[in-house]
Amino acid sequence: INTLYRSLLQSIENVEKKNQEILKLEKLKYDFLKGASHELKTPLASLKIILENMQYNIGKYKDRDRYIGECIATVDSLSQNISQILSVSSLENLKEDEENLEIQPVLRAVLEKYEVLLQQKKLHLKNELQDEKLYIGKPALKIILSNLLSNAVKYTEEAGAIRIYAEGGWFYLENSFSKRYAMNFDLSKENSNGLGLYIVSTLLNNYKIPYESLEKDGKFVFRIKLS
């Protein structure tokens, strides 16, 4: 009876552990898909800006033939991103997919999607990264960078500055912000004004990568421990 009892307790413990793992993975999948939505929102916002400027013959957008081509390219990019998101039927894409990734190539690909929005707000972006690496899955890194940039572009004041660099074994993304945007970004709350940062923190926690966010000298700073 004692042996049977111990076996039953062990079985119950194993079931509870598996249930916890399932809940964690489902939450991670939810956050991944929500974070991936930025991959759709950003090009859509850029596309709207280009089309509106073409509609009213504003500045360089009078050259409609050129910018129609850019619009088509943006739509193609959207189609590709939608296909990638729909293909995420399980979290296998975010499990045990770590590699020692160079950040710069992934960052450049993400920055291309923000070019129009940066120009629209006249933001000054300095990318000072070199060959720094992070041990993480590539899909997750793309989502993290996209959400950090989305947050920076949204809350930086007109003609403000965004700086991306590495120092002392950390990756930094910092941006200036208007006082009216000064707020406490609660990374533990999904419904806070810092939703993108909440998603970033969830993904970094999944990969057990240290990070920190803070406000310093009128700037919002987010840093990630490098490999």
Side-chain angles (χ1 to χ4, degrees):
I1 293 175
N2 287 337
T3 301
L4 181 61
Y5 178 71
R6 285 193 297 269
S7 177
L8 180 59
L9 286 179
Q10 184 64 45
S11 297
I12 292 172
E13 185 178 348
N14 290 338
V15 169
E16 288 179 349
K17 286 182 179 179
K18 288 181 180 179
N19 284 338
Q20 289 299 319
E21 289 177 2
I22 291 171
L23 289 173
K24 180 181 176 181
L25 292 176
E26 285 301 316
K27 185 177 185 301
L28 182 57
K29 180 178 180 180
Y30 170 80
D31 288 325
F32 175 82
L33 293 175
K34 182 162 283 189
S37 69
H38 282 286
E39 296 297 311
L40 304 180
K41 291 179 180 178
T42 299
L44 277 173
S46 299
L47 185 61
K48 182 179 179 181
I49 290 169
I50 292 174
L51 291 172
E52 286 179 344
N53 287 333
M54 287 171 61
Q55 181 182 8
Y56 297 108
N57 290 313
I58 297 175
K60 62 183 181 180
Y61 296 99
K62 292 178 182 178
D63 185 0
R64 297 193 177 193
D65 289 342
R66 173 186 172 185
Y67 288 101
I68 284 174
E70 287 199 11
C71 290
I72 292 172
T74 301
V75 171
D76 288 340
S77 176
L78 278 168
S79 297
Q80 183 179 5
N81 287 334
I82 289 170
S83 296
Q84 290 174 349
I85 291 171
L86 291 176
S87 70
V88 183
S89 57
S90 72
L91 279 175
E92 296 304 314
N93 295 322
L94 293 175
K95 289 174 58 185
E96 300 178 355
D97 61 345
E98 297 96 328
E99 55 180 309
N100 212 21
L101 281 173
E102 187 174 339
I103 301 173
Q104 185 71 284
V106 181
L107 175 61
R108 284 175 179 164
V110 172
L111 282 173
E112 287 180 3
K113 299 178 181 180
Y114 285 86
E115 185 176 347
V116 172
L117 295 178
L118 289 166
Q119 291 176 356
Q120 184 75 4
K121 289 188 70 174
K122 301 177 182 178
L123 301 179
H124 305 282
L125 186 142
K126 291 180 66 177
N127 176 8
E128 302 173 14
L129 285 189
Q130 296 183 18
D131 57 357
E132 290 81 11
K133 294 182 178 181
L134 187 65
Y135 191 66
I136 193 171
K138 191 171 183 178
L141 178 58
K142 188 176 180 183
I143 294 299
I144 287 167
L145 293 175
S146 182
N147 277 275
L148 287 176
L149 280 165
S150 175
N151 187 79
V153 169
K154 181 177 180 179
Y155 293 110
T156 301
E157 78 279 11
E158 188 89 7
I162 299 172
R163 184 185 175 205
I164 303 170
Y165 62 99
E167 185 177 278
W170 291 79
F171 163 92
Y172 286 85
L173 190 150
E174 65 179 34
N175 61 283
S176 56
F177 58 90
S178 170
K179 287 184 179 180
R180 68 192 181 97
Y181 288 143
M183 59 191 71
N184 294 320
F185 291 110
D186 189 342
L187 303 188
S188 67
K189 291 184 179 179
E190 173 182 345
N191 60 353
S192 71
N193 289 315
L195 174 59
L197 299 182
Y198 167 80
I199 294 167
V200 168
S201 67
T202 300
L203 290 171
L204 290 172
N205 286 333
N206 177 65
Y207 290 95
K208 296 180 173 59
I209 298 173
Y211 63 91
E212 185 180 13
S213 64
L214 56 116
E215 293 179 16
K216 182 179 179 182
D217 301 327
K219 296 178 181 178
F220 180 78
V221 181
F222 196 98
R223 69 175 192 164
I224 301 171
K225 185 67 176 177
L226 295 170
S227 303

